Amino acid sequence: MSATGAGGYASVYVADAALVASTRRYGIDPAVAVAVVPNAAMAHVALTHVAHLAEGESVLVQGALGGFSAAFPGIARRLGAARVVGTVRSRKLAAAAVTKLPYDTIVDSAGLPDALGGEKFDVIVDPVGGDVRTHSLALLKAGGRVLVAGNASGDWAHQVDTNQLWLTGTTVAGFNAGAYLPAHPQVVRPALEAALAAVAAGLGETEIDVLPFAEAVTAHERMERREPAGRIVLTPGA
């Protein structure tokens, strides 16, 4: 893994040994390794060290097919989650219907909170923010935790009523890999090993498009339009 989150557009990268794990004994395709394993490792850190997911608990993942969100269901399963539910925008429902990611069900986020029929969760992963974060807080069980893992909505004005956290016994915890991992480097390699095991077990299957470096602009344009239902990998090969 990159120490800075940059430098990935290279055929060779020199990394600190603490940030390295070998894929050799797992038999994982290199494109899958680069597209899935780093996010799965971060999901493992977030669920174990920040959200403190316990065996038998339930998990809701907002933006279920997003690059980071897609890493959570497989890791949650490995950690013993009893139920894993996802949400997506309406235009992603067709992709959600055919995904191989290990969700129990995926619902339309436009229908929240009614779309979940009153179900509440122990841990909610929210990389979306805005109105979705408001729904996340309302969908927590007493003692539940919202893991704030992004702000795809672009709503930087969203606020949390801390008195409601007190009254409901709930927690809001932030996870940003760029801030957390440099301060806790000892968690990286165990997380990478856990991620490799999960991916090797088939718990991270997602659609991957492999493009050459020459098509990097196309890849970025597709991401800006939020077209991919999975991941895009760039390769230095022709």
Side-chain angles (χ1 to χ4, degrees):
M1 289 183 68
S2 164
T4 63
Y9 286 13
S11 56
V12 176
Y13 181 85
V14 179
D16 188 289
L19 305 181
V20 174
S22 174
T23 64
R24 187 170 299 168
R25 67 188 176 93
Y26 293 97
I28 296 172
D29 181 89
V32 175
V34 73
V36 179
V37 171
N39 278 345
M42 290 188 289
H44 186 275
V45 172
L47 288 175
T48 55
H49 292 277
V50 182
H52 305 292
L53 177 68
E55 186 173 356
E57 289 191 318
S58 58
V59 178
L60 176 67
V61 182
Q62 307 280 23
L65 302 184
F68 192 24
S69 291
F72 280 89
I75 295 298
R77 294 292 188 196
R78 294 286 288 190
L79 294 171
R83 180 164 167 80
V84 184
V85 174
T87 74
V88 294
R89 294 183 177 190
S90 303
R91 61 187 177 85
K92 293 286 187 178
L93 287 172
V98 298
T99 184
K100 295 180 180 179
L101 294 171
Y103 288 107
D104 288 297
T105 188
I106 298 177
V107 303
D108 189 345
S109 60
L112 292 177
D114 297 340
L116 291 165
E119 183 176 6
K120 295 197 174 185
F121 299 85
D122 297 293
V123 173
I124 299 179
V125 180
D126 184 358
V128 180
D131 290 341
V132 170
R133 188 150 301 151
T134 298
H135 293 317
S136 293
L137 291 164
L139 289 166
L140 278 181
K141 294 180 180 179
R145 290 85 72 199
V146 169
L147 183 70
V148 176
N151 188 33
S153 68
D155 183 354
W156 295 99
H158 186 272
Q159 297 183 5
V160 173
D161 181 350
T162 54
N163 281 324
Q164 286 302 311
L165 302 183
W166 162 54
L167 289 169
T168 58
T170 52
T171 299
V172 175
F175 178 76
N176 182 304
Y180 191 91
L181 298 184
H184 304 84
Q186 74 280 2
V187 307
V188 177
R189 185 176 289 168
L192 283 170
E193 294 290 352
L196 286 164
V199 174
L203 293 174
E205 291 190 39
T206 189
E207 180 182 333
I208 299 174
D209 290 338
V210 179
L211 302 175
F213 275 6
E215 294 185 37
V217 171
T218 298
H220 279 272
E221 289 173 344
R222 288 179 58 191
M223 288 189 292
E224 288 172 6
R225 292 193 297 268
R226 297 185 179 182
E227 288 180 359
R231 303 289 282 157
I232 298 175
V233 171
L234 296 178
T235 172

